[in-house]
Amino acid sequence: MSIAEHPRVRVEIFELELEQSLPGLRLGTVDLVIGDEYDSQPRPRPAGLRFTLLLEEPLRLVLPAAHPLAGHGGHVAVTDLRSEVWTASAEGTGHHAMVVGTCRRLGGYEPDLRHRSSDADVQLELVRAGAAVALMPALTLPDADPALAVRGIAETVLRRRLVAVTRDTPPGPALTAFLAAVTERVRDLDR
């Protein structure tokens, strides 16, 4: 979608959790919400809204390259990260709940979650500096970074889903064009 095709469309981006953004969507002050949800951390599905899956991706453990468990190149058990300092998004977010829930469920422990940022680059920088380990969606990770060891989870496969949420009514032409552009971009990322 180009601005020239829809010059009167105003695009604004707000970073909110899905639950915080849905009231605006239902009231009509927002036309589209793109959110995420994690395995074992479902999000609400209120009536009157349409949820469309955009992308499903695996979660990865991210360790400093010099970490003792990084050297073998294989999957890493969450259980083996019991004594590590963790980073995650802010409390009250889906990502935070997923990290805590994964450590509890798969590792049997409460993570030492000292660092909280909703910015994936900040979390990655903490891992690069050797200050934390992380559990992150594949899409947030760089293609190659010699300071990071990206590993699968030994106990299971965990996933994140990106969803587009709209009102359950026919979208207008500008929203239809915008959704088509988002869907095409996601296809490009998924290739």
Side-chain angles (χ1 to χ4, degrees):
M1 181 179 111
S2 74
I3 293 173
E5 293 174 67
H6 300 279
R8 296 183 54 184
V9 172
R10 179 182 171 123
V11 176
E12 295 182 26
I13 297 174
F14 300 91
E15 185 175 348
L16 298 170
E17 280 300 294
L18 187 68
E19 294 84 354
Q20 296 170 315
S21 61
L22 294 183
L25 185 62
R26 292 180 78 170
L27 291 171
T29 58
V30 174
D31 293 316
L32 170 66
V33 172
I34 297 177
D36 61 4
E37 63 183 8
Y38 297 89
D39 288 346
S40 76
Q41 301 295 327
R43 298 296 189 126
R45 295 267 198 270
L49 299 178
R50 179 180 302 137
F51 287 73
T52 305
L53 178 66
L54 295 173
L55 177 75
E56 187 172 62
E57 62 177 332
L59 296 173
R60 297 288 183 236
L61 288 165
V62 187
L63 314 171
H67 192 282
L69 295 175
H72 62 75
H75 287 54
V76 172
V78 172
T79 305
D80 293 338
L81 300 172
R82 172 182 297 274
S83 62
E84 299 297 327
V85 172
W86 287 79
T87 183
S89 293
E91 193 168 348
T93 64
H95 183 260
H96 183 278
M98 178 274 300
V99 170
V100 171
T102 298
C103 290
R104 288 175 181 166
R105 192 175 64 261
L106 298 180
Y109 61 89
E110 194 69 25
D112 183 0
L113 194 52
R114 295 185 199 176
H115 310 294
R116 293 170 187 87
S117 174
S118 294
D119 188 328
D121 289 331
V122 170
Q123 291 183 40
L124 290 172
E125 195 55 39
L126 287 161
V127 176
R128 282 185 194 98
V133 298
L135 184 56
M136 301 183 72
L139 191 59
T140 63
L141 302 173
D143 288 334
D145 186 329
L148 299 174
V150 177
R151 301 290 181 260
I153 302 164
E155 293 93 343
T156 190
V157 174
L158 294 175
R159 298 194 177 281
R160 173 178 85 153
R161 285 167 298 288
L162 293 178
V163 294
V165 189
T166 57
R167 285 180 293 285
D168 199 12
T169 57
L175 181 55
T176 299
F178 191 81
L179 283 168
V182 167
T183 302
E184 184 58 33
R185 181 66 180 128
V186 168
R187 282 190 197 120
D188 290 345
L189 291 171
D190 202 25
R191 287 183 202 139

